[in-house]
Amino acid sequence: MPQLIAAIDSGTTSTRFMLFDHSGAVVGFEQREHRQIFPRSGWVEHDPLEIWQRTQEVIRATLYKCDVRPSQIAAVGITNQRETAVVWDRTTGQPVCNAIVWQDTRTDSICRRLQEAGRAPAFRKKAGLPLATYFSGPKFRWILENVEGAQARADAGELICGTVDSWLIWQLTGGDRIHVTDPTNASRTMLMDLEGLSWDSDLLDILAIPPSMLPEIQPSSAPAFYGATATDGPFNAAIPICGNLGDQQAATVGQTCFNPGEAKNTYGTGCFMILNTGDEIVYSRNGLLTTVCYQMGESAPVYALEGSIAMAGATVQWLRDELQLIGSAAETAGIARSVDDTGGCYLVPAFSGLFAPHWRSDARGVIVGLTRYVNRAHVVRAALESICYQTREVLDAMNADSGVPLRRLKVDGGATVNDVLMQMQADILGTTVIRPRIAETTSLGAAYAAGLAVGFWPDLDALRTQWREDKVWQPQIDETERARGYAGWQKAVERTLNWEE
């Protein structure tokens, strides 16, 4: 009798494999980083073959370390960095170029071209998205325009494309080469009709992407299965692959935000807040994204509003790797705690432009308010505060769109282990912040989707009963101090604009 559910979590900086039992507890995991490739300013790439290699490594390492047999695993779920675009040969499986990562801004000229042609309303109306470099569709277009021979090969049906979930499922299924995605990932391409959950011919025509390139859209939790793992692959057995969610939607499922009005915020490479809007498609008036939250089996899709922030944990990584102000992310709590405030300085990490709610690709990062008094600790504290202030901007937009102020925010992701950061977040929001016992809810959400498909868990109510609170932070500053700090942040954001033509 299978006792475990497996989850592959292919993120922006690393790939993780996790095993969960019936209680949702972690039985074992392994993680491997992959390279971040920066060919030129504004470009961010990954090697798809390296991601596949890391995926195989973490699966084999976990099964060996935990002495788990394939027969103990009921199903496999996948979650992935969204919007990152991969194009590969349908027959050989060779990528035509490196994957273009969601943070990459090279498609700015394509987005401007579409904006000037008056195409923006079509994408907002059908896909729920603004014209932005963030999304996959313009990346696919860039590859077809700029990789030699790609357009002709695509027109001939030789090339296929997808986000990282599609790439991994295609690889995991070996000789069957199943080419699928789910509505949460498809909704981030700018190519899917939100109402019909199908590729939209008008949007495909605008970006000139052949329909034959695209994967089949199937439910996030698929009782019919997408396929089975290849017997000569890393599992050495045929195990159903039947769960698939973009990473932020997976975290929403892992946090059991199944009711309209429930929200979570994930602190990873970026920062992503999702508000469940139920079966209603809510088009934002305040710079948020309308997206699919999940679709379980034959049930109707559940929708969401999302605020996407490009730089959260990546800002701390920048302090470590480029500025060398810290040796590790774990140091930031103690360094930030060593000073009472930022000394009046603000760091706005608009390295890939500003995402929600601004959507300004011309923005670039700034540190402002510097005096001789400001030292390393003040800058490190300002970096942490930047994560919290960006979240405040998104929460304000979400409150305005929904008309219901959010009083409790569930949080997850690696950065939530930083208690100083979480207290800052509660102070800057003026909202209760709650961390669950399992902070890495992205993998858990993928496991839940797969487990529901095979009856490992009976329904959403069973998952709700497993959620447990770990720690709660309450605001500790008054409204006057909160307003003064936020006003300074807004002035700093103004200084980031109009740096790129």
Side-chain angles (χ1 to χ4, degrees), residues 46-64:
H46 293 156
D47 179 351
L49 293 174
E50 183 184 10
I51 290 174
W52 170 230
Q53 180 62 35
R54 296 292 176 267
T55 302
Q56 297 175 81
E57 290 171 2
V58 294
I59 292 170
R60 291 191 172 107
T62 306
L63 297 182
Y64 176 79

Side-chain angles (χ1 to χ4, degrees), residues 179-410:
H179 190 212
V180 300
T181 190
D182 90 302
T184 68
N185 282 293
S187 69
R188 315 300 292 210
T189 61
M190 293 175 52
L191 302 173
M192 189 192 81
D193 172 54
L194 278 175
E195 292 187 8
L197 303 188
S198 60
W199 302 118
D200 186 89
S201 58
D202 292 337
L203 301 182
L204 289 173
D205 287 346
I206 292 171
L207 282 167
I209 295 173
S212 62
M213 293 185 71
L214 293 164
E216 180 183 355
I217 301 172
Q218 295 193 18
S220 310
S221 178
F225 310 159
Y226 311 127
T229 58
T231 55
D232 60 351
F235 288 98
N236 292 317
I239 302 173
I241 306 173
C242 47
N244 184 18
L245 290 157
D247 52 10
Q248 302 314 316
Q249 286 93 335
T252 307
V253 171
Q255 287 274 37
T256 66
C257 294
F258 299 135
N259 293 325
E262 293 184 326
K264 68 86 200 177
N265 199 33
T266 297
Y267 299 75
T269 301
C271 207
F272 304 87
M273 189 183 298
I274 287 186
L275 174 71
N276 184 324
T277 62
D279 59 6
E280 183 182 2
I281 300 176
V282 178
Y283 292 96
S284 176
R285 303 178 304 278
N286 295 281
L288 302 180
L289 309 177
T290 304
T291 194
V292 177
C293 197
Y294 54 82
Q295 185 191 23
M296 303 304 189
E298 297 303 314
S299 299
V302 172
Y303 295 94
L305 283 170
E306 178 177 335
S308 306
I309 297 165
M311 301 295 295
T315 305
V316 176
Q317 191 176 45
W318 176 72
L319 292 182
R320 183 193 68 190
D321 297 343
E322 275 71 44
L323 295 193
Q324 298 183 11
L325 291 183
I326 58 173
S328 69
E331 295 177 11
T332 58
I335 295 171
R337 194 186 289 116
S338 71
V339 291
D340 293 332
D341 53 37
T342 67
C345 82
Y346 291 85
L347 189 163
V348 186
F351 304 135
S352 298
L354 289 171
F355 282 25
H358 305 282
W359 299 109
R360 292 289 296 264
S361 60
D362 62 313
R364 289 297 177 266
V366 300
I367 303 177
V368 298
L370 295 175
T371 65
R372 282 293 300 273
Y373 170 72
V374 171
N375 60 32
R376 165 176 170 261
H378 294 115
V379 174
V380 170
R381 188 177 181 96
L384 295 185
E385 285 194 357
S386 75
I387 299 171
C388 302
Y389 279 123
Q390 289 177 96
T391 300
R392 164 72 186 270
E393 291 182 312
V394 167
L395 183 59
D396 284 355
M398 204 162 273
N399 288 340
D401 275 337
S402 68
V404 181
L406 191 69
R407 301 301 183 191
R408 301 168 72 250
L409 181 65
K410 292 181 177 180

Side-chain angles (χ1 to χ4, degrees), residues 345-493:
C345 82
Y346 291 85
L347 189 163
V348 186
F351 304 135
S352 298
L354 289 171
F355 282 25
H358 305 282
W359 299 109
R360 292 289 296 264
S361 60
D362 62 313
R364 289 297 177 266
V366 300
I367 303 177
V368 298
L370 295 175
T371 65
R372 282 293 300 273
Y373 170 72
V374 171
N375 60 32
R376 165 176 170 261
H378 294 115
V379 174
V380 170
R381 188 177 181 96
L384 295 185
E385 285 194 357
S386 75
I387 299 171
C388 302
Y389 279 123
Q390 289 177 96
T391 300
R392 164 72 186 270
E393 291 182 312
V394 167
L395 183 59
D396 284 355
M398 204 162 273
N399 288 340
D401 275 337
S402 68
V404 181
L406 191 69
R407 301 301 183 191
R408 301 168 72 250
L409 181 65
K410 292 181 177 180
V411 298
D412 55 71
T416 60
V417 300
N418 187 329
D419 288 358
V420 173
L421 174 64
M422 292 297 97
Q423 184 59 58
M424 287 180 180
Q425 188 66 93
D427 290 341
I428 287 171
L429 294 182
T431 297
T432 301
V433 171
I434 307 169
R435 182 177 67 199
R437 288 185 185 175
I438 299 179
E440 295 298 340
T441 54
T442 303
S443 296
L444 182 60
Y448 280 166
L452 288 169
V454 296
F456 192 83
W457 291 290
D459 51 36
L460 298 183
D461 285 337
L463 304 183
R464 284 189 181 95
T465 63
Q466 295 187 358
W467 190 91
R468 293 289 186 275
E469 178 184 292
D470 175 49
K471 190 166 183 177
V472 177
W473 291 268
Q474 300 290 353
Q476 294 181 352
I477 64 174
D478 61 31
E479 187 56 41
T480 300
E481 184 178 352
R482 182 176 302 115
R484 182 169 60 247
Y486 190 45
W489 169 261
Q490 291 173 310
K491 286 174 61 178
V493 168

Side-chain angles (χ1 to χ4, degrees), residues 134-157:
Y134 181 26
F135 305 109
S136 312
K139 295 178 172 64
F140 296 141
R141 178 69 251 147
W142 189 95
I143 292 171
L144 294 180
E145 288 182 3
N146 291 277
V147 174
E148 184 177 357
Q151 184 69 66
R153 294 173 65 193
D155 291 340

